[in-house]
Amino acid sequence: MVFATSLGEDGAQLCPLEPWQAEEYLAHLDRGRDFIGRYIPLPDVCADLEAARAFLQGYADRTAADTGRLYGIRLDGTLVGGVMFRTMDHATGVCEVGCWLEPSAVGRGLVTRAATAIIDWAVEARGMYRVEWVVSPANTASVNVAKRLGMTRDGALRGAYVLRGERGDKEVWSVLAPEWRGQRA
């Protein structure tokens, strides 16, 4: 591994996810495919090794273009989830953070810690002004992460997406750089 950032004393780490890790990434998704796919299309997009590699390559390309990034969350060396910048728009200073976990990793605060690390970087190192979190209102765990991150619910987009043939709403939560800095002080 090129680098890893500690997420605490429990052995959790945050590290890049890259195309060469496609087999490990697919195995991780397979362990949590139904659970992860309840609210996000990630397991459906990465149904096989070729698709997983293409997904990771897409994020490698976004990283190179400075328009998105993808990080794995590891617990005792095992990939158990991830966080990402789905979008990064430097002209407007707006980015969107996303996340997922396999069932074995739920309830340990991993997403909150990982999201905190990447939001700190986005605001302090990259000058992002607005960090967004888009979530299904039915995904109470993810809504609770947004709340723990000090985000404000901006509103709901009714019927805004289709997942596994079902149309659903999504909520937009956000935190602005001055708010983030104030709560981190």
Side-chain angles (χ1 to χ4, degrees), residues 2-183:
V2 174
F3 75 86
T5 299
S6 174
L7 293 176
E9 296 178 13
D10 59 358
Q13 296 180 314
L14 185 66
C15 51
L17 266 178
E18 299 176 347
W20 64 270
Q21 298 166 306
E23 288 183 26
E24 177 187 25
Y25 175 68
L26 182 62
H28 149 65
L29 286 179
D30 285 344
R31 288 192 301 272
R33 191 163 293 281
D34 290 336
F35 180 81
I36 296 166
R38 294 176 308 156
Y39 300 112
I40 62 171
L42 187 60
D44 299 339
V45 170
C46 299
D48 58 33
L49 185 58
E50 183 179 334
R53 187 172 286 113
F55 179 80
L56 294 176
Q57 184 61 55
Y59 268 92
D61 295 344
R62 286 183 189 189
T63 298
D66 206 17
T67 59
R69 294 177 186 271
L70 183 64
Y71 302 95
I73 299 172
R74 293 182 179 279
L75 197 52
D76 298 322
T78 300
L79 183 63
V80 296
V83 289
M84 64 175 67
F85 290 107
R86 280 192 8 89
T87 61
M88 291 185 80
D89 184 336
H90 294 281
T92 63
V94 177
C95 62
E96 180 191 335
V97 175
C99 68
W100 74 93
L101 281 177
E102 65 182 61
S104 67
V106 171
R108 300 170 185 235
L110 295 171
V111 166
T112 302
R113 289 184 274 159
T116 297
I118 68 170
I119 293 170
D120 274 343
W121 177 81
V123 169
E124 299 305 336
R126 299 313 313 277
M128 290 288 125
Y129 185 79
R130 176 183 167 87
V131 179
E132 296 179 341
W133 187 271
V134 179
V135 59
S136 164
N139 189 347
T140 55
S142 191
V143 168
N144 288 336
V145 171
K147 290 175 182 177
R148 282 192 297 276
L149 293 170
M151 294 185 163
T152 299
R153 183 182 178 273
D154 294 330
L157 303 171
R158 298 175 303 134
Y161 75 97
V162 177
L163 179 66
R164 297 184 173 176
E166 298 289 324
R167 185 160 293 281
D169 299 345
K170 54 184 173 178
E171 292 181 348
V172 179
W173 291 71
S174 69
V175 64
L176 305 180
E179 297 165 342
W180 183 257
R181 288 183 184 113
Q183 70 188 23

